[in-house]
Amino acid sequence: MTQSQTGTLVDYERDGEIVTLTLNRPDKLNAFNDELVGALSDALHRFDMEDEAQIAIITGRGRAFSSGADVKQRQLRSREEFLRLGGPQGRGTHSADLLTRSVNWKPVIAAPHGYVLGLSVGIVLECDLIVAEEGTRFQITETSRGLGAGRYWGIMQFRGGGAFAMEAALAGRYFTAEEALAANLINRVAPRGRYLDMARELARDVVKNPPLSVRSTVRTRRWYMDRMTREIMHQTAPERLYLSEDFQEAARAFTEKRKPAKFKGR
């Protein structure tokens, strides 16, 4: 049985036990504004509550999985807004909460292609399994924006990224799906155009098993991942890097399509 809901910020389609959640903001390269984070949260909750659904795949429409945070909305807020919200995210739209507020702990596969930048790197790496199209390019853009990449380093370490995690976090350079596979960050690299097919093949392998045993493993993994990332965020929160002059200059330079001025370390 197939159920579909399209034309929304996150399209929802269920084919038997497998749900596909498609980020649907292709004109903005699926950049995450508060509304898209909220829509993905709602879609994941619907999947969590739907009895027939056992596993979900998150993918993106258009030429990229996601270009990361919507800089104009989430990074050009006024100082007063940053102080009121406690960071770049809107109230109730913290992307780090997307997979940790589950009830039934069903597995989620990320199926990225094209580009996976900034905030979306965290969303992909927090998924339970990852199947990326060959040539997919990842980048921790928080490094160059002055926000710090401790959370991303932590998630990479959690997935077994080793020394590569430190390089990716500090250099903030692009790295490919092939590099991510070699660094043990993702599960599979799919040929061009076949990343969703391969993700669905993996999903079918998972749903062959008793669902409660699958969910037990998912719940355990996410609990430890969440504990680690929250410790990192608790440690770095007092820095409030989103209030720094360097962050403001980097965000403005990005939206104005120019190179940032020399960073001041303040």
Side-chain angles (χ1 to χ4, degrees):
M1 179 181 178
T2 300
Q3 291 183 348
S4 298
Q5 179 183 352
T6 59
T8 58
L9 279 173
V10 177
D11 290 347
Y12 188 105
E13 180 181 2
R14 181 173 63 81
D15 184 3
E17 296 174 303
I18 301 172
V19 167
T20 302
L21 306 177
T22 305
L23 307 177
N24 189 26
R25 204 184 177 212
D27 56 318
K28 300 295 184 181
L29 295 181
N30 298 316
F32 278 93
N33 56 10
D34 293 344
E35 291 74 22
L36 183 55
V37 175
L40 182 55
S41 177
D42 290 344
L44 284 166
H45 178 69
R46 175 180 172 183
F47 156 67
D48 192 38
M49 293 293 102
E50 189 169 11
D51 290 340
E52 294 83 358
Q54 297 299 333
I55 192 167
I57 299 168
I58 302 177
T59 190
R61 179 159 288 116
R63 61 190 183 92
F65 177 82
S66 172
S67 59
D70 187 316
V71 176
K72 289 185 177 180
Q73 184 199 61
R74 289 171 73 97
Q75 296 185 2
L76 291 181
R77 300 185 193 273
S78 67
R79 180 182 178 86
E80 291 71 26
E81 284 182 294
F82 281 129
L83 289 171
R84 187 174 70 251
L85 296 169
Q89 71 285 337
R91 183 176 183 275
T93 60
H94 201 303
S95 62
D97 294 332
L98 288 170
L99 294 176
T100 58
R101 297 182 180 274
S102 180
V103 174
N104 292 306
W105 305 102
K106 302 172 186 178
V108 176
I109 301 173
H113 73 290
Y115 291 92
V116 183
L117 308 180
L119 178 151
S120 63
V121 173
I123 291 175
V124 167
L125 292 179
E126 287 177 350
C127 288
D128 306 296
L129 298 164
I130 305 168
V131 177
E133 183 180 51
E134 63 180 5
T136 299
R137 300 182 75 188
F138 298 79
Q139 186 185 27
I140 300 173
T141 56
E142 283 73 7
T143 302
S144 60
R145 303 273 170 79
L147 282 174
R151 174 169 165 258
Y152 300 88
W153 168 83
I155 301 171
M156 286 182 171
Q157 287 284 354
F158 185 79
R159 297 192 74 95
F164 183 81
M166 199 63 173
E167 178 184 340
L170 291 186
R173 68 168 178 86
Y174 282 107
F175 59 94
T176 65
E178 289 77 6
E179 288 180 281
L181 182 66
N184 207 34
L185 295 175
I186 67 175
N187 299 93
R188 299 182 186 180
V189 174
R192 294 279 182 183
R194 290 210 61 241
Y195 59 98
L196 266 178
D197 293 335
M198 187 173 284
R200 286 169 179 146
E201 290 171 8
L202 182 55
R204 285 191 287 270
D205 287 341
V206 173
V207 298
K208 291 176 184 176
N209 296 304
L212 294 183
S213 64
V214 169
R215 295 178 195 181
S216 174
T217 304
V218 168
R219 183 174 181 270
T220 301
R221 173 192 172 271
R222 289 196 201 160
W223 188 88
Y224 280 99
M225 178 184 68
D226 184 52
R227 185 180 71 170
M228 178 206 64
T229 55
R230 291 194 182 280
E231 286 176 356
I232 291 171
M233 289 190 287
H234 179 75
Q235 180 184 23
T236 57
E239 297 173 357
R240 300 202 293 187
L241 294 175
Y242 48 84
L243 297 180
S244 70
E245 292 180 32
D246 286 347
F247 167 70
Q248 293 295 326
E249 170 58 19
R252 285 195 300 269
F254 177 83
T255 58
E256 295 167 7
K257 296 181 170 57
R258 61 173 173 82
K259 289 185 177 181
K262 182 177 176 60
F263 293 124
K264 302 176 181 178
R266 62 173 187 254

